[in-house]
Amino acid sequence: MYYSRPVKAAHSPSLRLLLPRSGREYAGAGKRIAAVRRTVSMMSSRGTSAMLSRAARMRQKLQSALEASALDIEDVSYQHAGHAAVKDNANETHFNIRVISPKFEGQSLVKRHRMVYDLLTDELNSGLHAISIVAKTPKESGS
């Protein structure tokens, strides 16, 4: 006979652990506890990127790779609700991005946009539909 007890997990508040009620049942409890610990550990290690919004993931990628002095990401998906490309009321599909980076120095506008698109390839392959990019150097922006 087992009873369930809630287990506190950062990414799964509904996770429950089955514990034995009598001494004879403790033999298999260690394996179950170890399995739950592994599951919680895997959830917390890989869950961080899944739990972040698309905008937050984009910000991480762009900021770290481009060393941006300014980075504005605006979700404008609401302006495209009901369009053919937006399926099942999907959100976080359309963004305006304004980035100022010293890494754009000496790069053409096309090359700058390619740099941004290359950094966001994973997002574009997983539901990001459109981005509008303003990419400037600090000198061009007056900063």
Side-chain angles (χ1 to χ4, degrees), residues 73-123:
I73 299 177
E74 178 186 13
D75 185 351
V76 292
S77 303
Y78 67 93
Q79 296 174 348
H80 302 276
H83 291 190
V86 181
K87 296 182 174 120
D88 301 325
N89 294 327
N91 53 11
E92 293 193 306
T93 56
H94 295 71
F95 288 88
N96 292 337
I97 298 172
R98 181 179 166 274
V99 59
I100 299 171
S101 170
K103 296 216 174 182
F104 293 146
E105 202 69 50
Q107 304 294 332
S108 70
L109 184 60
V110 172
K111 177 65 175 164
R112 295 174 190 186
H113 282 226
R114 281 187 187 147
M115 291 167 70
V116 172
Y117 274 105
D118 288 346
L119 291 168
L120 299 178
T121 299
D122 291 343
E123 299 299 333

